[in-house]
Amino acid sequence: MTGLTSASPENHPWWRLSDSATEFPQHNSVDSLPLLVVESPLCRSVIAPQGAQLLTHTSYGRTTSNNDQLLWLSPTALFVRGKPLRGGVPLCLPWFGPHNEPGKPQHGFARNEDWQLLGAQADSDGNVVLSWGFGQYASQPHPEFPWRFSARLTMTLGTRIELGLEIQNCDTSPMPLSWALHSYHPVSDLAAVRVRGLAGCDFLDNTRQLERRRQQGDVQFNGELDRIYLSVPDEQIIATEPALAIRGSNCPSAIVWNPGYDKAAALADVGAEHGQEFICLERGNAGTNALSLDAGASHRASVSIGVTG
Ligand code: BG6
């Protein structure tokens, strides 16, 4: 059963149910995954209940002739039930990156499982607000993670994307938690892109066994780059055309990733020809910013993404 059939949104002219075979016929899909499509006067978005993953978002914010893609979905993304989808905003939860116990999935399991659509409504500004719940492990823990927990992700979709996340430890002992809203963004010229707002921050360099270093000036891309920036300012700018502002609240880490040519070529759902088209600028709690969430406690955080300048 998918997250959509169990809690379908009421009929509304701004959203409808669809599937990946219909929306992405050019993709080489194994499964046709159910999708929710939002088409409002402010934006067009496609969301997969699997992972509560926003896949594409076209903002009609600037001019009607100049629509902005805020997210990148790999042209070679594979739609396979239970497998991560390459692009948009996957949610890494309840851990970020590889687990220190072998055999556990990279970036946790929440991105591979169905979330439930709890509500869909239009707010007074014309945004579509979707609320997604991940409650299947609130009373029985997942086999890979021995704490009972639940999560809720609220998407406010308009000319900007606003994501609000709440994670609750439903168990009786402190729960280790790391997570990221792992957003993929299109870039017009990777060699010319700069990420502003990280100068002076320490980072863990994942291309050098997580060696701790300090950022000088803007971030630039020249080959593989894979870094967890720690205790960062709230806002970063991706200086490309159009420039994007990513603002996080209560998410002190910024993970910046581009696989570089060789790793992109080795990823079946990216490919050498597409590795230059995006960067990830993810916000969350990762590396030494990981949390311990007290029994019964909740962690709330938000990320907003929009065109700037
Ligand atoms: C980034 C990590 O967040 O995600 C990288 O820093 C990783 O190390 C990348 O390669 C993609 O991960 P995945 O599991 O989606 O291929």
Side-chain angles (χ1 to χ4, degrees):
M1 178 153 80
T2 73
L4 287 179
T5 51
S6 62
S8 296
E10 287 172 21
N11 283 341
H12 192 284
W14 290 356
W15 55 80
R16 61 186 165 78
L17 304 181
S18 187
D19 56 67
S20 56
T22 306
E23 299 303 317
F24 302 106
Q26 71 279 23
H27 285 244
N28 194 6
S29 294
V30 174
D31 298 314
S32 184
L33 299 184
L35 299 174
L36 186 66
V37 177
V38 169
E39 283 170 322
S40 79
L42 301 182
C43 66
R44 184 178 196 279
S45 313
V46 179
I47 306 105
Q50 179 171 300
Q53 185 167 340
L54 188 53
L55 296 176
T56 65
H57 182 91
T58 308
S59 165
Y60 305 146
R62 294 199 297 176
T63 66
T64 46
S65 61
N66 192 2
N67 301 330
D68 296 313
Q69 303 298 331
L70 302 194
L71 302 174
W72 181 83
L73 176 67
S74 176
T76 53
L78 285 168
F79 291 89
V80 185
R81 190 172 300 287
K83 299 281 187 202
L85 291 164
R86 181 74 64 195
V89 193
L91 172 57
C92 307
L93 181 77
W95 61 86
F96 174 85
H99 198 283
N100 53 18
E101 293 170 26
K104 298 200 173 182
Q106 157 114 325
H107 291 326
F109 46 83
R111 65 178 177 166
N112 301 335
E113 299 193 14
D114 281 342
W115 289 52
Q116 305 299 315
L117 183 64
L118 304 178
Q121 60 185 70
D123 73 13
S124 55
D125 295 324
N127 298 303
V128 172
V129 183
L130 305 175
S131 176
W132 299 89
F134 192 67
Q136 53 267 51
Y137 304 113
S139 46
Q140 280 294 323
H142 188 282
E144 310 274 14
F145 188 71
W147 284 270
R148 293 174 293 139
F149 78 103
S150 65
R152 182 183 277 239
L153 182 66
T154 304
M155 300 174 174
T156 303
L157 303 170
T159 56
R160 306 176 57 78
I161 300 168
E162 312 269 353
L163 302 170
L165 180 65
E166 180 173 356
I167 304 154
Q168 185 179 15
N169 177 359
C170 306
D171 222 304
T172 52
S173 63
M175 178 179 111
L177 173 66
S178 57
W179 64 276
L181 283 159
H182 187 309
S183 55
Y184 289 74
H185 302 287
V187 296
S188 46
D189 176 3
L190 183 63
V193 168
R194 303 287 180 267
V195 175
R196 308 208 164 102
L198 294 170
C201 294
D202 280 4
F203 64 85
L204 306 175
D205 190 339
N206 207 13
T207 66
R208 300 189 190 188
Q209 289 79 46
L210 299 177
E211 180 189 333
R212 189 169 180 134
R213 302 166 62 201
R214 182 158 298 170
Q215 179 67 36
Q216 313 289 331
D218 296 339
V219 180
Q220 304 185 37
F221 297 83
N222 176 22
E224 183 189 7
L225 188 141
D226 189 355
R227 300 173 178 175
I228 301 172
Y229 287 86
L230 302 167
S231 305
V232 303
D234 280 351
E235 185 171 88
Q236 284 76 47
I237 305 291
I238 303 177
T240 184
E241 178 48 47
L244 296 180
I246 315 241
R247 202 173 168 78
S249 168
N250 232 2
C251 31
S253 311
I255 300 96
V256 184
W257 179 58
N258 176 273
Y261 186 87
D262 290 344
K263 284 205 172 164
L267 291 170
D269 56 359
V270 181
E273 69 278 34
H274 299 301
Q276 309 284 301
E277 296 172 359
F278 73 94
I279 67 164
C280 290
L281 202 166
E282 317 160 30
R283 295 297 304 268
N285 283 83
T288 51
N289 289 143
L291 295 167
S292 172
L293 198 56
D294 285 343
S298 294
H299 181 70
R300 291 188 186 82
S302 62
V303 173
S304 82
I305 301 166
V307 172
T308 187

